[in-house]
Amino acid sequence: MKRIVLILFINVAVFAQSDPYQKIKPIPEKLEILPLNTVKPQGWLKDQIRQNLDGFTGHLDELAPDLIVSDDIYVKNRLSKKVKNKDVGAIGAEGDWQVQFLWWNSETQSNWRDGYIRSAILADDKEHLAKIKSYIDKILASQDKDGYLGIYDEELRYKFDNENGELWAKATLLRGLLAWYEYSKDEKVLSAIKRAVDNTMKGYPINASHPFYSKNENVGGLSHGLTFTDVLEDLYRITKKRKYLDYALFLYKDFSENKLNEDAQYAKLMDKNRLLNGHGVHTYEHLRSLASAYQASGNPKLNDAISNFEHKIDMETTATGGPVGDEWIGSRKADATKRGYEYCSLQELMHSYESLMAKTSDAKYGDKIEKLFFNAAQGARHPEQSCIAYLKSDNSYEMTGGLNGDKSDAKQTRYRYSPVHKEAAVCCVPNAGRIAPYFVQYMWMKQGNLLIAGLLGPSEVETQIDGKKVRVEELTNYPYDNSFTFSILSETDFTLKIRKPDWSNGEIMDVDYDENDGFLIVPITAGENKISLAFTAKPETRQDLNGEMYFSYGALVLAHPIKSQTQVTKTYPLDGFADMNVTPENLVVYEYVSSDVLKLGGSRFEVKLVNPQTGKEEPVVLEPVAKTVLRQVTFKR
Ligand SMILES: [Zn+2]
């Protein structure tokens, strides 16, 4: 008898030790994320947010009124058992597949609004802000007495055994409401958010329910719902109540323990040889939910899962920082020509890296974020028109629907430019309106009396250190220029930390400084200060994962722009918007030969490459990927 007891005891001990979800010691975030609008965009970043507001971000409700205005999914048209079908703007067979995605318009609406709210705040646009205020009032008025905010009627909510959008519709909605609260400081908004989250925690009680149970393991909205951790983390930052982080840990555990076709489940991450396979957007956004579970538990097993996950994501990342998935990652590695990345994935992975940067203060995330945002993300927007590519590849030879001109799937419309992309899904355009505001918010962070420029670019930050006002203006055209002026007005002494990009060959600064862990450390005395800084860059020749060669200068990945023709394929009742196909005029896919890269001036370069049609070397111009439509980024040897 004694022996049995002992064996049982040992088993329990071993289990506890191997339980990756066991709370050990929560780890505080190293850096303080500043509330929205504390960091303001300047220069080209401000211009881009303004252009988005005047373009697809400011007008998506008019461009897709059926999905955004007519379907009042959070208020009048909540989903009930009676709703069997609705227009969700996606191609697909009728029947089960459609019914599964009835939550879809909540994503379109709320992700769009999140980007719209943040852009209007950062641009301080009174007209848009007034429109947003009346939307906020309407949403708050839709809250049920028990605190429920969401898309399901009483009969359906919290009672699912299959695909559903319960948590996802809330996560997207509440991210926007949190942005509005950070800006307005309106306590009514915060109270509505807290009540909605408390209602969720009651609907799915912690450790006594299974929000991620589904009899079908291929789910969409259900597993997107793991990003409810974004809301929980924000509420924790505001209220300091641990219950929100504990709930985030519970969500990750339940997500991991259910049978789902998802990459970010703990057991799959611990299999180092398993390549990522799932739906790209899910995979990349789940990185930060895992990071939040690690923060909540301090369990080193979850930290091991994060490092495995990051390595797997590196295997899927192209030279420009684009995480592939078209729309599935499909256990195939990144490839400059044969793999595309979705705009949604760009926003979601960037946000995940931002979350990790705040948690760890590791400078490497700054490099990853800048690479993705300055190259892949800028390069998937049309440089002149207000429209984006839903899917884009580094080597982009034709944008007529299929990947590089592939016509095998007549329904593939994602590789072209549109301000809506209704034929596929209205997910990427909303996220293209979120990405610049999310970049801006994380440019500056705090840690005690340190003010940290983690992401570089034209910006302005005004905050308090030790209760005293500090204002820094960062004047630069970075990444198109590598020199900076920091104009500082401060009521107190503090320390300025500036991330030194990984590509930098050195720096010139006109004040005393130290260097530590990828940051330049500059002591600042109270009063007015001005600092000049320039990072030294030279054109670099690099290799991608597949051994193909590419060129970079500073934070910019360079591309050979391909001369092209544009055909408008659809116009909208609203002036200035169109869908467009782009075809090459005379496509030559160049090959690499070792040669010097000449700087022509501005961000233009010249390099010698081999034209395989003639077998001869030719001088070829390179420009930042950000400025291109059709282009060649990598060159085979
Ligand atoms: Zn998308």
Side-chain angles (χ1 to χ4, degrees):
M1 188 64 189
K2 250 186 192 166
R3 219 177 116 197
I4 293 171
V5 171
L6 188 67
I7 288 167
L8 273 175
F9 179 76
I10 289 168
N11 275 344
V12 169
V14 168
F15 178 74
Q17 206 185 21
S18 65
D19 175 8
Y21 316 106
Q22 195 199 13
K23 201 162 135 184
I24 296 174
K25 192 176 188 288
I27 299 170
E29 253 169 358
K30 284 237 173 87
L31 306 183
E32 184 188 333
I33 300 167
L34 299 174
L36 179 66
N37 211 30
T38 307
V39 185
K40 290 192 170 73
Q42 296 294 333
W44 71 268
L45 275 169
K46 187 178 178 174
D47 293 346
Q48 184 159 107
I49 288 172
R50 183 70 250 170
Q51 282 159 11
N52 290 352
L53 266 184
D54 295 338
F56 53 73
T57 303
H59 297 282
L60 194 64
D61 51 343
E62 297 156 81
L63 294 166
D66 42 349
L67 311 186
I68 294 179
V69 184
S70 318
D71 184 15
D72 199 2
I73 193 166
Y74 286 94
V75 188
K76 287 202 300 273
N77 307 113
R78 281 182 179 171
L79 297 170
S80 70
K81 284 189 175 163
K82 278 173 268 165
V83 184
K84 291 289 178 218
N85 210 340
K86 67 164 72 187
D87 181 3
V88 294
I91 297 170
E94 296 294 316
D96 280 358
W97 193 90
Q98 283 279 23
V99 175
Q100 264 205 59
F101 285 86
L102 290 183
W103 51 265
W104 190 284
N105 290 344
S106 69
E107 174 190 312
T108 297
Q109 293 175 18
S110 296
N111 270 348
W112 165 63
R113 285 199 196 274
D114 184 48
Y116 177 49
I117 292 169
R118 288 165 192 269
S119 301
I121 290 169
L122 292 177
D124 195 23
D125 184 301
K126 301 281 181 283
E127 210 174 299
H128 286 304
L129 288 170
K131 215 172 130 183
I132 291 163
K133 175 74 174 64
S134 56
Y135 153 76
I136 300 280
D137 291 343
K138 182 184 151 181
I139 280 291
L140 294 198
S142 81
Q143 189 160 31
D144 290 354
K145 280 208 175 62
D146 64 1
Y148 186 84
L149 272 180
I151 58 170
Y152 293 106
D153 77 353
E154 277 188 59
E155 209 187 358
L156 285 178
R157 64 185 66 157
Y158 306 123
K159 292 181 202 113
F160 304 95
D161 62 0
N162 208 336
E163 166 66 347
N164 70 84
E166 183 71 273
L167 289 175
W168 179 226
K170 291 176 197 289
T172 53
L173 174 80
L174 297 178
R175 288 193 296 219
L177 291 188
L178 279 159
W180 186 258
Y181 167 71
E182 287 185 6
Y183 162 72
S184 68
K185 300 282 178 273
D186 182 347
E187 288 299 323
K188 280 202 308 288
V189 178
L190 180 60
S191 149
I193 298 166
K194 284 199 238 170
R195 288 176 62 224
V197 171
D198 289 349
N199 173 268
T200 310
M201 290 165 68
K202 208 171 148 196
Y204 289 136
I206 188 166
N207 299 325
S209 65
H210 295 289
F212 291 97
Y213 171 72
S214 169
K215 58 188 180 193
N216 171 9
E217 64 181 317
N218 292 307
V219 292
L222 179 60
S223 53
H224 265 312
L226 183 58
T227 57
F228 195 69
T229 56
D230 289 344
V231 175
L232 295 163
E233 287 197 300
D234 261 358
L235 267 191
Y236 170 71
R237 288 179 196 117
I238 294 167
T239 65
K240 305 284 176 254
K241 290 202 170 124
R242 291 228 72 93
K243 66 171 183 179
Y244 297 120
L245 287 191
D246 291 343
Y247 199 73
L249 176 61
F250 156 66
L251 288 183
Y252 179 69
K253 176 183 175 172
D254 192 62
F255 162 84
S256 273
E257 289 182 338
N258 274 289
K259 205 167 180 299
L260 295 172
N261 187 8
E262 291 293 341
D263 290 319
Q265 293 184 311
Y266 176 76
K268 288 177 190 161
L269 291 176
M270 294 318 283
D271 178 355
K272 281 193 182 170
N273 298 321
R274 183 189 177 279
L275 284 169
L276 297 174
N277 180 54
H279 188 230
V281 189
H282 293 184
T283 300
Y284 302 123
E285 72 196 6
H286 290 163
L287 172 62
R288 62 181 184 275
S289 299
L290 165 62
S292 137
Y294 172 53
Q295 189 201 354
S297 68
N299 193 316
K301 288 177 182 301
L302 294 183
N303 200 27
D304 292 345
I306 293 174
S307 28
N308 287 357
F309 203 172
E310 285 183 31
H311 175 71
K312 290 174 190 227
I313 292 174
D314 288 345
M315 293 294 100
E316 303 300 342
T317 303
T318 68
T320 65
V324 301
D326 39 14
E327 301 199 3
W328 297 83
I329 304 174
S331 303
R332 293 185 297 135
K333 278 198 326 191
D335 186 289
T337 311
K338 294 179 197 141
R339 299 303 316 268
Y341 34 85
E342 185 181 344
Y343 217 105
C344 288
S345 297
L346 296 169
Q347 157 65 15
E348 293 301 354
L349 182 60
M350 186 188 81
H351 188 192
S352 292
Y353 285 149
E354 288 174 335
S355 164
L356 280 157
M357 184 167 75
K359 287 181 171 66
T360 63
S361 81
D362 192 332
K364 78 173 178 189
Y365 296 111
D367 293 308
K368 282 173 183 272
I369 294 163
E370 287 191 2
K371 177 173 262 202
L372 182 159
F373 180 67
F374 293 148
N375 298 289
Q378 296 303 314
R381 298 166 58 86
H382 196 287
E384 282 116 37
Q385 310 293 325
S386 191
C387 53
I388 58 143
Y390 184 119
L391 290 175
K392 186 77 176 170
S393 48
D394 277 7
N395 293 335
S396 184
Y397 301 137
E398 185 174 327
M399 289 290 284
T400 53
L403 172 61
N404 286 324
D406 177 37
K407 305 273 188 293
S408 61
D409 178 2
K411 283 186 174 168
Q412 178 57 288
T413 58
R414 292 166 177 81
Y415 290 94
R416 63 179 173 79
Y417 290 91
S418 168
V420 185
H421 281 285
K422 196 180 170 195
E423 292 74 11
V426 189
C427 53
C428 286
V429 173
N431 274 322
R434 294 175 73 213
I435 197 162
Y438 274 79
F439 180 83
V440 169
Q441 185 171 9
Y442 287 81
M443 292 175 84
W444 292 87
M445 292 197 262
K446 280 198 302 195
Q447 185 181 24
N449 79 333
L450 302 176
L451 185 60
I452 302 155
L455 305 173
L456 303 173
S459 59
E460 192 185 301
V461 58
E462 191 172 321
T463 184
Q464 303 224 320
I465 288 177
D466 295 333
K468 305 267 177 59
K469 211 153 114 182
V470 174
R471 187 170 168 276
V472 182
E473 213 179 334
E474 181 180 348
L475 291 162
T476 178
N477 195 31
Y478 186 79
Y480 306 103
D481 179 355
N482 298 316
S483 59
F484 303 79
T485 303
F486 293 90
S487 282
I488 304 163
L489 192 62
S490 173
E491 292 175 350
T492 179
D493 296 353
F494 71 99
T495 303
L496 180 65
K497 263 179 91 168
I498 304 166
R499 195 184 105 261
K500 179 178 175 171
D502 61 352
W503 49 261
S504 171
N505 300 118
E507 65 280 336
I508 303 160
M509 190 155 33
D510 61 355
V511 291
D512 288 339
Y513 65 97
D514 280 327
E515 194 179 328
N516 187 23
D517 266 351
F519 288 92
L520 307 178
I521 320 270
V522 194
I524 304 289
T525 47
E528 259 186 79
N529 289 279
K530 204 167 240 180
I531 298 171
S532 293
L533 165 67
F535 291 110
T536 324
K538 60 176 177 44
E540 308 272 1
T541 305
R542 300 175 183 274
Q543 248 185 52
D544 79 356
L545 284 173
N546 302 306
E548 296 181 18
M549 309 306 286
Y550 70 98
F551 304 95
S552 67
Y553 182 76
L556 297 170
V557 175
L558 305 174
H560 164 52
I562 295 167
K563 277 210 182 98
S564 60
Q565 288 193 336
T566 300
Q567 300 93 35
V568 168
T569 56
K570 180 180 175 179
T571 54
Y572 291 84
L574 213 58
D575 262 4
F577 293 94
D579 288 2
M580 48 194 84
N581 280 351
V582 188
T583 46
E585 269 184 15
N586 177 27
L587 181 63
V588 177
V589 176
Y590 285 96
E591 288 169 6
Y592 176 79
V593 60
S594 175
S595 86
D596 291 335
V597 186
L598 303 174
K599 197 168 190 309
L600 296 178
S603 302
R604 295 176 82 238
F605 298 82
E606 191 183 277
V607 69
K608 285 219 169 65
L609 294 165
V610 176
N611 179 342
Q613 290 167 8
T614 61
K616 295 212 172 89
E617 288 180 21
E618 289 176 11
V620 170
V621 169
L622 303 174
E623 282 181 22
V625 164
K627 310 279 187 199
T628 60
V629 179
L630 301 188
R631 69 206 178 198
Q632 186 177 2
V633 171
T634 68
F635 305 90
K636 287 196 168 131
R637 284 156 157 320

